[in-house]
Amino acid sequence: MAYVSIDSPGKVARTTRPSFIRRGRTGHIRHLLSARTIDSDDVDELCQAAEAYEFGVASTPLSPGKTVALLFFQPSTRTRLGFEAATVALGAHPIGMEDMSASRSNARTGESLEDCAAVVSRLCDALVVRHHESGAAERMAAKSERPVVNAGDGWNEHPTQALVDIFALRRGLGTIAGRCIAFGGDPRGRTVRSLIQLLRFEAPKEIVFCPPPHYEVPADILSAIFENQIRCRIVREIEYALTECDAIMMAPYDMSDIGEPAASGYVSPNTTPDSHVITPEKIARLNSRTLIYHPLPRHDEIHPACDDLPNAMYFEQVRLSKFMRMAVLNRMLSAS
């Protein structure tokens, strides 16, 4: 079995990163734009709060009368509905447009994202933003009077999905510490980039990438792994992950629909090679107990017949996402 093993180039001095709870001159909580600004205390506290919401024992205040603006300039199912369900469960009110392309903040009318944020933030208590441009959430946060949550900006980041993934991995594995975590599918996506940042707190034994041919693991993702002294391996068959890893986070074979295509001269056929598809036959033949996660949507990288297997965790991952987004929103709204 061919693989490339990558060891950290040496010990790198760690720096203390600020919590995402940044306060402005008014003392209000600021923005959640990147997983890089989430610290280990944030992760633990949000996971505890999410679990409390799940089991109906939350001790943190709810948010009656608050309003959350859902600004989705890019199509979304789980994230949009997840934030809307979380908002309603907190007793707050979601507002927004079904199709942000019909708003004035588009190329046809020319209203800037900055102006959109300045306007909408005066009508709500928090903004949740998804956009096809990298850096869009940060641009809006710079002009917003209220906290901004990045719900995915192009190829850049998706920090709340990373929090959901950590919550789900902890639930399935008990602990991530000492475990081998694999990534299947296109390694260039924003969900991978954000999750790698949070895995630095979880002390996994190893991170394994199983990218399809033609796609390299981005240098900034590898650097984040090296900086935190985590062993990394790149393999070329999904069966390695199903045999040697405790959990695998799958992704579509080609993520180009999330924004402008990431750097690659390869034109994808938009189908997953058989060697990289997870099927019940492979799981049975390998006697695999590897837990299978996926932020979704799924294309053809996990056969639907896997859905009822004990390995399949991706729909449970969706269920848990509501409680994590409740935890994030309540923290933002409570200080807003």
Side-chain angles (χ1 to χ4, degrees):
M1 180 174 292
Y3 65 85
V4 177
S5 179
I6 301 178
D7 290 305
S8 171
K11 189 173 181 60
V12 178
R14 300 186 186 210
T15 58
T16 301
R17 297 181 184 273
S19 165
F20 77 83
I21 310 175
R22 296 178 299 166
R23 299 182 184 276
R25 288 176 296 178
T26 61
H28 290 168
I29 193 169
R30 298 314 295 165
H31 315 291
L32 175 50
L33 304 177
S34 168
R36 293 178 177 87
T37 59
I38 300 175
D39 65 24
S40 58
D41 288 339
D42 289 327
V43 176
D44 289 341
E45 291 168 9
L46 288 168
C47 283
Q48 291 167 10
E51 191 167 74
Y53 285 127
E54 179 187 6
F55 294 107
V57 294
S59 58
T60 51
L62 300 181
S63 306
K66 296 292 182 77
T67 302
V68 178
L70 304 178
L71 306 182
F72 281 69
F73 295 87
Q74 187 180 40
S76 173
T77 302
R78 281 146 297 278
T79 303
R80 167 65 190 262
L81 293 178
F83 270 112
E84 188 165 352
T87 300
V88 172
L90 288 172
H93 305 284
I95 62 172
M97 301 177 67
E98 289 300 320
D99 180 8
M100 285 301 296
S101 66
S103 75
R104 292 283 183 172
S105 299
N106 58 47
R108 181 174 61 83
T109 59
E111 182 182 48
S112 68
L113 290 175
E114 288 82 359
D115 281 3
C116 178
V119 170
V120 176
S121 65
R122 286 166 169 82
L123 302 173
C124 67
D125 299 288
L127 295 79
V128 180
V129 177
R130 169 171 286 195
H131 203 281
H132 61 275
E133 293 181 9
S134 295
E138 185 172 3
R139 286 174 56 193
M140 297 186 76
K143 295 290 287 185
S144 176
E145 293 289 309
R146 296 295 186 179
V148 172
V149 177
N150 181 4
D153 60 331
W155 287 88
N156 183 36
E157 282 216 46
H158 196 345
T160 63
Q161 183 63 50
L163 287 165
V164 169
D165 296 343
I166 290 292
F167 186 37
L169 284 165
R170 286 183 177 186
R171 176 63 60 84
L173 296 173
T175 178
I176 302 173
R179 303 302 186 100
C180 179
I181 308 298
F183 287 84
D186 192 336
R188 305 168 299 162
R190 59 195 178 198
T191 57
V192 177
R193 181 165 285 104
S194 290
L195 181 52
I196 287 296
Q197 291 295 332
L198 295 194
L199 282 173
R200 71 189 190 273
F201 304 127
E202 302 296 315
K205 176 183 177 181
E206 184 176 40
I207 291 175
V208 172
F209 289 97
C210 311
H214 308 290
Y215 290 148
E216 300 297 328
V217 181
D220 67 299
I221 291 178
L222 292 176
S223 294
I225 296 171
F226 295 156
E227 287 173 5
N228 291 280
Q229 309 299 304
I230 301 172
R231 180 175 172 82
C232 178
R233 192 182 301 267
I234 298 176
V235 303
R236 296 302 177 188
E237 294 92 11
I238 203 71
E239 291 189 4
Y240 179 92
L242 291 173
T243 304
E244 302 296 331
C245 297
D246 298 288
I248 180 167
M249 188 68 65
M250 290 296 290
Y253 175 60
D254 183 354
M255 297 288 290
S256 296
D257 64 332
I258 67 174
E260 294 299 320
S264 173
Y266 174 65
V267 178
S268 169
N270 295 314
T271 57
T272 304
D274 290 342
S275 59
H276 287 71
V277 176
I278 294 181
T279 65
E281 292 75 21
K282 289 180 182 178
I283 291 172
R285 174 166 52 81
L286 299 170
N287 193 27
S288 175
R289 297 185 178 181
T290 301
L291 298 182
I292 305 167
Y293 294 84
H294 198 310
L296 303 173
R298 165 177 58 182
H299 295 169
D300 60 351
E301 60 275 5
I302 302 175
H303 194 282
C306 294
D307 295 353
D308 295 326
L309 298 178
N311 309 65
M313 299 294 291
Y314 30 92
F315 293 130
E316 173 68 358
Q317 195 175 347
V318 173
R319 188 186 72 84
L320 293 173
S321 71
K322 171 187 170 182
F323 307 114
M324 176 54 73
R325 291 188 166 112
M326 288 176 68
V328 169
L329 283 178
N330 189 59
R331 179 185 282 199
M332 309 287 271
L333 291 169
S334 296
S336 178

